[in-house]
Amino acid sequence: VQLQASGGGLVQAGDSLRLSCTASGRTFSTIAMGWFRQAPGKEREFVARIRWSGDSTIYADSVKGRFTISRDNAKNTVYLQMNSLKPEDTAVYYCAAARSPFRWYLAPRDYDFSDQGTQVTVSS
C-alpha cells in the first residue's frame, strides 16, 4: 500500500489543522485506517483509528475530545481534524493502513505506515 500524508504546518496553541492521507494499492473500503505520531526523542504513539465502514473510531486519551478521525472511501482518503492544538501535540504525524481487511483490534505491527509523515508544530 502507498500512503501519502499531508496537511501539517506551524500553528499556535488553540488553532486547528486537518491532516489528510490518500491510500492506494489496497482495497481501501475494507481496511481500518489510523494515525500515529512521533515527537522528538519519543517513540511513535497511537493517535486514532477508524473502522473500514467509518462507523467506529477510537482515540488516544491525550487527544480525545479534540481530534476527529474520518474517512471518505470514495476518495481513498482518511482525515484527522485537530482542534484546540497544544504544544504537546507537536510531532510528525504518520498515516497507517491495516495490513489485513476487516481487522479492528490492531497492534502497531499490524499496520503499514506512510514512509514520510507530516510535521505538526504547535507554538505556545
Side-chain angles (χ1 to χ4, degrees):
V1 65
Q2 290 77 47
L3 301 169
Q4 182 65 50
S6 62
L10 172 62
V11 297
Q12 293 187 331
D15 286 350
S16 298
L17 276 176
R18 189 176 81 154
L19 306 183
S20 299
C21 174
T22 301
S24 62
R26 193 167 292 169
T27 305
F28 186 78
S29 60
T30 68
I31 57 172
M33 294 293 295
W35 287 96
F36 287 71
R37 67 186 182 186
Q38 187 167 18
K42 295 187 176 181
E43 293 188 355
R44 185 163 54 192
E45 65 174 0
F46 169 79
V47 175
R49 182 166 78 245
I50 186 167
R51 201 175 181 91
W52 47 90
S53 54
D55 61 355
S56 186
T57 57
I58 188 169
Y59 297 92
D61 288 343
S62 58
V63 306
K64 203 173 294 183
R66 299 187 299 121
F67 290 12
T68 302
I69 188 171
S70 61
R71 65 190 295 159
D72 185 338
N73 285 351
K75 296 182 178 179
N76 284 9
T77 301
V78 62
Y79 305 97
L80 186 67
Q81 178 68 42
M82 305 185 295
N83 298 330
S84 302
L85 282 161
K86 304 176 180 180
E88 51 264 44
D89 294 318
T90 294
V92 177
Y93 283 71
Y94 295 89
C95 175
R99 291 181 174 177
S100 300
F102 307 117
R103 281 196 64 185
W104 178 235
Y105 297 101
L106 300 168
R109 65 177 179 273
D110 297 323
Y111 290 94
D112 289 314
F113 292 89
S114 53
D115 290 336
Q116 293 186 343
T118 185
Q119 175 72 47
V120 173
T121 303
V122 185
S123 63
S124 57

